[in-house]
Amino acid sequence: QVQLVESGGGLVQAGGSLRLSCVASGRTFSSYPMGWFRQAPGKEREFVAAITWRSGGSPYYADSVKGRFTISRDNAKNTVYLQMNSLKPEDTAVYYCNAVVSTRPIFGSWGQGTQVTVSS
């Protein structure tokens, strides 16, 4: 019932920037906050950021990205964005979006994700 399509990843040097997009569709998730997760090789998937759909929704960030990443959304387009600045090699991962409650994913089926690679 939920479709998630991530895009915007790529290869960038340390200190560079990328902007990720996630287009979400489906009635069942529309009332939940949306957010981003990432999974690096050999590591478990971790929470990155989340934001509510409501006007003036509060963003929340993992400590590792706070001050560098900014999450935003366009409710009319059911789209969530992640502006990533001052990228570090440690940010290299596949980035996924999902509905979020208390930093945990709600939808059990993930999209394909988008690869972010930050070189040294």
Side-chain angles (χ1 to χ4, degrees):
Q1 292 183 328
V2 177
Q3 299 289 330
L4 303 168
V5 181
E6 302 94 343
S7 63
L11 175 64
V12 64
Q13 284 193 325
S17 299
L18 286 171
R19 185 177 186 243
L20 308 183
S21 298
C22 169
V23 179
S25 62
R27 185 175 180 270
T28 59
F29 75 96
S30 61
S31 297
Y32 296 105
M34 289 293 296
W36 291 91
F37 299 78
R38 66 186 182 186
Q39 187 169 26
K43 297 184 178 180
E44 295 184 3
R45 187 147 36 200
E46 65 177 354
F47 170 79
V48 176
I51 190 169
T52 61
W53 290 105
R54 65 179 182 270
S55 180
S58 299
Y60 182 76
Y61 301 95
D63 288 342
S64 59
V65 306
K66 193 174 298 181
R68 300 187 298 118
F69 292 9
T70 302
I71 188 170
S72 61
R73 78 276 189 270
D74 185 332
N75 290 3
K77 296 181 178 180
N78 281 352
T79 302
V80 181
Y81 306 95
L82 187 67
Q83 178 66 47
M84 306 185 296
N85 298 327
S86 301
L87 284 163
K88 305 175 181 179
E90 304 94 280
D91 297 318
T92 295
V94 178
Y95 284 70
Y96 303 88
C97 62
N98 208 317
V100 178
V101 172
S102 298
T103 76
R104 296 182 177 181
I106 294 175
F107 187 46
S109 182
W110 299 82
Q112 295 301 306
T114 185
Q115 176 71 51
V116 172
T117 303
V118 184
S119 64
S120 301

